[in-house]
Amino acid sequence: MSSEEFTYKINVSDPRTGKTKPIQLPPEKFRPFIGLRIGDIIDGSVVGMPGYKLKITGGTDKDGFPMRPDVHGGVKVRILLSGPPGFRPKRKGERRRKTVRGNVITEDIAQANTVIVEWPPKKVEEKKAEEMEEGTTGSAESS
């Protein structure tokens, strides 16, 4: 399998609607994500959403190991976990040693999860303008 065929996946979650949109990116468009950490904010124009700001919330590597915000660097390590991400205990107090990734996005990360934290200002202005128009026409009709 050549590197040209491989695509990276960015999941963009919208907290307003509760929906997630997956976006496929070729390796050259994924480059701005390399070196960013969980919690960093990136401009949405990188994934074709100009005007949006996206916060990185996690991801998985090419082997399916999840990223953890409390593991520093881009390394793969085996740590003792008592809860998610990376392990969901079946019994109270259960702990298990699991393999997880660090909080830095590297070339090994195949999927990155993001959430929208800032929307384009023009849509907000359009909504306000529509509300104001509805408000003025409604008050004019009632007078």
Side-chain angles (χ1 to χ4, degrees), residues 5-56:
E5 294 173 8
F6 185 76
T7 59
Y8 293 92
K9 185 174 170 184
I10 305 295
N11 291 325
V12 180
S13 298
D14 188 350
R16 290 181 178 174
T17 62
K19 295 185 179 182
T20 301
K21 177 183 174 186
I23 298 172
Q24 301 285 337
L25 289 181
E28 60 272 4
K29 294 213 176 186
F30 189 74
R31 299 229 188 274
F33 284 91
I34 305 292
L36 295 178
R37 297 178 180 274
I38 292 176
D40 286 351
I41 295 177
I42 189 166
D43 189 38
S45 59
V46 176
V47 294
M49 299 174 66
Y52 289 87
K53 297 280 185 198
L54 306 174
K55 179 179 177 184
I56 299 169

